[in-house]
Amino acid sequence: MHPDLSPHLHTEECNVLINLLKECHKNHNILKFFGYCNDVDRELRKCLKNEGLTLSPKLECSRVIVTHGSLKLK
C-alpha cells in the first residue's frame, strides 16, 4: 500500500512513476494480480522512500490527514 499519491505531494520523478503504475493497472487489470506491474511498483516504492528522506519542511507540513475531527500527521 502506498501513501497518498496526489501529484502535489510528490516530486516530478515520483509522479512519472505513479502515472506509469496507474496506467499499467488500468491496461492490465488481470495481469496486475500476477505481478505484471511489479517492476514499476518497486521503482515507485524506492522513489517514495528516497523522497521521504529528502522532504522539505513545507511539503512535510502539507501531509496532514483529518480523521473524525482530529488532525494526524502521516
Side-chain angles (χ1 to χ4, degrees):
M1 184 111 166
H2 300 290
D4 185 357
L5 298 179
S6 298
H8 69 282
L9 295 175
H10 302 286
T11 62
E12 189 59 36
E13 178 188 1
C14 288
N15 281 327
V16 168
L17 292 168
I18 289 166
N19 290 331
L20 284 173
L21 184 61
K22 286 180 179 181
E23 279 296 311
C24 187
H25 284 175
K26 180 180 158 190
N27 295 333
H28 307 286
N29 59 351
I30 301 297
L31 290 175
K32 69 181 178 184
F33 295 113
F34 298 99
Y36 191 86
C37 303
N38 282 0
D39 291 339
V40 176
D41 187 53
R42 276 189 215 96
E43 289 302 313
L44 174 58
R45 280 187 275 130
K46 275 192 230 176
C47 186
L48 293 174
K49 181 179 179 183
N50 290 337
E51 185 181 77
L53 298 175
T54 59
L55 282 178
S56 69
K58 181 181 176 184
L59 191 57
E60 189 71 32
C61 290
S62 71
R63 293 179 170 223
V64 176
I65 312 171
V66 178
T67 312
H68 301 292
S70 62
L71 292 174
K72 287 186 176 182
L73 288 176
K74 270 189 174 179

